[in-house]
Amino acid sequence: MRGTTTTLTIGERVAWYRRRRGLSQEVLAGLIGRTADWLGKVENNRIDLDRLSVIKSLAEALDISLGDLLGEPSLLDWTTDSGTHTVPAQRAALMRYRALTRSAAALMHSCRASPCSEKRSGHFGMPTRTRGSDTSPLAYPTCSIMPRPQPTTMAVTTRTRPAGFSASRTSSRPRSSQNLGSDLAWIAADRGLSAVRSTGDPLITGSLFRSVGHALHATGRYADAVRLTEDAAGYLEPHLSQATPALLSVYGTLFLSGSMAAARANDAATTGTFLTAADHAASKLGVDANHLWTAFGPTNVAIHRVATAAELGDLQVAIDLGPRLDTTDLPMERRVRNALEVARAYSSWNRVDDAQAMLLDAEQMAPEQVRHHFLSRQLALTWVRRQRGKPSAELVSLARRLKVLD
């Protein structure tokens, strides 16, 4: 059904699914504790529907997935890095039948994938590329989960961490649950946790917990993501007495992810607690860094203060803090994420010109990421709908590039 609603705003999509369910505005509004007048304004694009907690409540009342209501693109563009094998190739690798039995799983643990061809450097074999704008799911090597023609045998130990960690890195990046789907992100994290269980390595395990958290986010299971954050932090805390910068970054990033989950669950108290814990870890780290692709540091904590404030409806914080953040030295994904939050805040304050300029700048930096994020698509289409006259050519062109306008 998702393809039939691609060019609708979220509000219009609510109306479409509501009519499919045979519900009146009064009934649907009552199911989520709102008024029919409010729902009517949402469906007519007179009220912005950009808080995921509210969108999730509507999705549950309509008995559809969060992705259906957000209208997330399900078709990935082919790129130079991905070639013409994207999600099906990942799904085939992750869902091989040999992983279904205990003996087969043991056999898999004794196999080693051949080395990736890409030159590696830094912590545990991380690739040198850190600021590219490409968010294609196959833009980075996946040697530890993708099949190879000539595997050699070895045991999974701390000594073999680079190959083992590749699976966690592939599944832990935020784009996994957005572009590959939560099912693949979940499976990849589960396989990774199984692979490193015997090592007891807190660094890899903590990073894989992040992957599970992202998968929970993607399906709107925010309360579960909050509990996961608490459990994962408890697991890592005994290892923090002599924490390396990498472990400190993984630990702090868990709280950042958890703060977003708490905000989307409308839990302001837990959001504040998690942000305080992340801020403490960032202070100990002292600088903005990108250990194990976490992009963790004081600036990323500030970015999450903006994002969580927007989720909780406190746009003043987003307006005051977001535009002042210097994200130049952060990875592209973080820079663009902050730009989208600032654009959302500007739009909510009816500063549409500023919001549109911010979104266009973000698109220049990372067009694929902007296209696949629900905020950018929702903003552009809402601006088009609210135009009293003919929308500007620039706005129409933007909406078409985001594939929300025919």
Side-chain angles (χ1 to χ4, degrees):
M1 290 294 183
R2 192 174 300 176
T4 66
T5 64
T6 302
T7 59
L8 302 182
T9 65
I10 295 179
E12 292 165 348
R13 207 171 287 119
V14 168
W16 191 89
Y17 281 111
R18 177 180 60 77
R19 287 191 287 267
R20 293 276 297 185
R21 292 298 187 204
L23 299 175
S24 67
Q25 288 183 338
E26 289 79 6
V27 170
L28 178 58
L31 289 173
I32 65 169
R34 299 278 184 158
T35 66
D37 179 66
W38 174 87
L39 183 58
K41 290 177 179 178
V42 165
E43 293 183 351
N44 290 319
N45 301 312
R46 293 166 60 193
I47 292 179
D48 287 332
L49 193 58
D50 53 11
R51 292 180 59 189
L52 280 176
S53 58
V54 179
I55 298 171
K56 177 176 178 287
S57 296
L58 283 164
E60 289 175 346
L62 291 166
D63 193 27
I64 57 177
S65 72
L66 186 61
D68 286 329
L69 204 49
L70 293 177
E72 293 176 335
S74 56
L75 178 65
L76 296 179
D77 291 334
W78 290 335
T79 68
T80 301
D81 295 295
S82 72
T84 57
H85 295 83
T86 54
V87 174
Q90 289 277 24
R91 180 171 284 112
L94 291 170
M95 302 185 75
R96 282 177 289 170
Y97 74 92
R98 285 181 296 172
L100 296 177
T101 66
R102 184 173 302 176
S103 58
L107 177 62
M108 293 295 291
H109 281 227
S110 67
C111 295
R112 179 187 186 183
S114 60
C116 293
S117 59
E118 180 175 5
K119 181 180 180 180
R120 297 171 174 271
S121 65
H123 293 282
F124 307 117
M126 292 299 97
T128 57
R129 177 171 41 185
T130 61
R131 292 186 173 84
S133 63
D134 187 7
T135 55
S136 169
L138 298 186
Y140 303 96
T142 56
C143 57
S144 64
I145 62 171
M146 296 296 284
R148 298 289 179 178
Q150 294 179 328
T152 57
T153 58
M154 63 173 288
V156 178
T157 65
T158 302
R159 179 175 59 84
T160 65
R161 187 183 299 164
F165 190 76
S166 178
S168 72
R169 174 174 52 80
T170 301
S171 61
S172 66
R173 288 180 59 78
R175 60 171 166 33
S176 297
S177 58
Q178 291 177 347
N179 292 356
L180 292 182
S182 57
D183 56 344
L184 298 191
W186 185 279
I187 292 170
D190 179 70
R191 297 285 172 80
L193 285 168
S194 296
V196 303
R197 187 172 291 122
S198 62
T199 73
D201 190 308
L203 189 62
I204 302 176
T205 305
S207 187
L208 284 162
F209 276 136
R210 287 176 56 219
S211 305
V212 177
H214 286 306
L216 291 171
H217 279 191
T219 55
R221 296 167 61 186
Y222 304 132
D224 288 341
V226 169
R227 286 191 290 270
L228 175 91
T229 300
E230 295 167 342
D231 292 342
Y235 169 82
L236 291 179
E237 281 167 3
H239 304 279
L240 295 178
S241 58
Q242 295 181 327
T244 64
L247 182 58
L248 200 59
S249 297
V250 169
Y251 179 74
T253 305
L254 276 170
F255 283 113
L256 292 185
S257 178
S259 72
M260 289 301 302
R264 289 168 180 171
N266 275 322
D267 187 346
T270 301
T271 300
T273 299
F274 284 175
L275 286 173
T276 298
D279 190 51
H280 181 67
S283 296
K284 291 184 68 175
L285 187 63
V287 296
D288 292 322
N290 196 25
H291 298 288
L292 305 185
W293 290 96
T294 58
F296 185 70
T299 303
N300 204 357
V301 174
I303 287 175
H304 279 75
R305 288 194 185 280
V306 172
T308 54
E311 288 292 342
L312 291 168
D314 188 356
L315 295 175
Q316 185 67 57
V317 171
I319 288 289
D320 290 345
L321 179 59
R324 294 190 289 107
L325 292 178
D326 182 3
T327 61
T328 304
D329 292 330
L330 294 187
M332 189 64 69
E333 187 273 334
R334 290 288 83 203
R335 295 171 61 189
V336 171
R337 189 69 179 87
N338 184 63
L340 293 181
E341 289 296 348
V342 174
R344 166 162 64 166
Y346 278 149
S347 183
S348 296
W349 275 31
N350 205 30
R351 294 172 57 178
V352 177
D353 289 343
D354 291 332
Q356 187 172 329
M358 187 67 68
L359 184 54
L360 288 170
D361 287 344
E363 187 193 26
Q364 286 290 320
M365 290 188 287
E368 189 176 352
Q369 181 182 344
V370 169
R371 179 194 159 198
H372 280 86
H373 202 285
F374 88 95
L375 273 181
S376 53
R377 301 195 310 275
Q378 169 72 3
L379 287 171
L381 193 50
T382 299
W383 296 335
V384 170
R385 294 286 196 271
R386 287 181 177 174
Q387 293 290 318
R388 287 191 173 89
K390 184 178 180 181
S392 68
E394 184 178 45
L395 179 55
V396 170
S397 179
L398 171 64
R400 285 176 175 162
R401 291 195 300 275
L402 298 180
K403 299 190 177 181
V404 294
L405 196 66
D406 292 331

